[in-house]
């Protein structure tokens, strides 16, 4: 009886870990979306204020957006490893 209850508790704990990993991946995606949206909005404001600097602003915006995407992908991979491990 005790072994059965222990096995149920371990199974539930494993499911909670997978659920936590899924929530972490979702938060990483939401954070990346908010960050890239904010970068895009700020870049458009900067271009509207100073159109002659549009090329430099776009270059910086793309580099920063790529870095944010890389961090979000890294977080999603870590969450996947936690879920499978």
């Amino acid at each position: 009886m005790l072994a059965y209850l222990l096995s149920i508790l371990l199974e539930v704990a494993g499911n909670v870990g997978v659920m936590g990993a899924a929530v972490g991946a979702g938060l990483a995606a939401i954070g990346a979306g908010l960050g890239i949206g904010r970068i895009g909005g700020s870049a458009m404001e900067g271009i509207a204020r100073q159109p002659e600097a549009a090329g430099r602003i776009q270059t910086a915006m793309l580099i920063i957006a790529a870095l944010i995407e890389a961090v979000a992908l890294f977080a999603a991979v870590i969450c996947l490893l936690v879920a499978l491990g």
Side-chain angles (χ1 to χ4, degrees):
M1 180 73 168
L2 183 61
Y4 177 70
L5 289 175
L6 186 59
S7 69
I8 290 175
L9 284 175
L10 288 175
E11 183 178 334
V12 168
N15 291 339
V16 170
V18 171
M19 186 193 231
V23 168
L27 288 174
I30 290 171
L34 290 173
I36 290 174
R38 188 163 181 192
I39 289 169
S42 296
M44 293 302 109
E45 285 180 17
I47 291 171
R49 290 175 188 254
Q50 202 171 13
E52 64 274 3
R56 290 192 339 233
I57 292 171
Q58 284 179 336
T59 302
M61 178 187 71
L62 288 174
I63 291 170
I64 293 170
L67 291 173
I68 288 175
E69 283 295 324
V71 169
L73 181 63
F74 180 71
V77 167
I78 294 298
C79 291
L80 182 64
L81 290 175
V82 167
L84 295 177

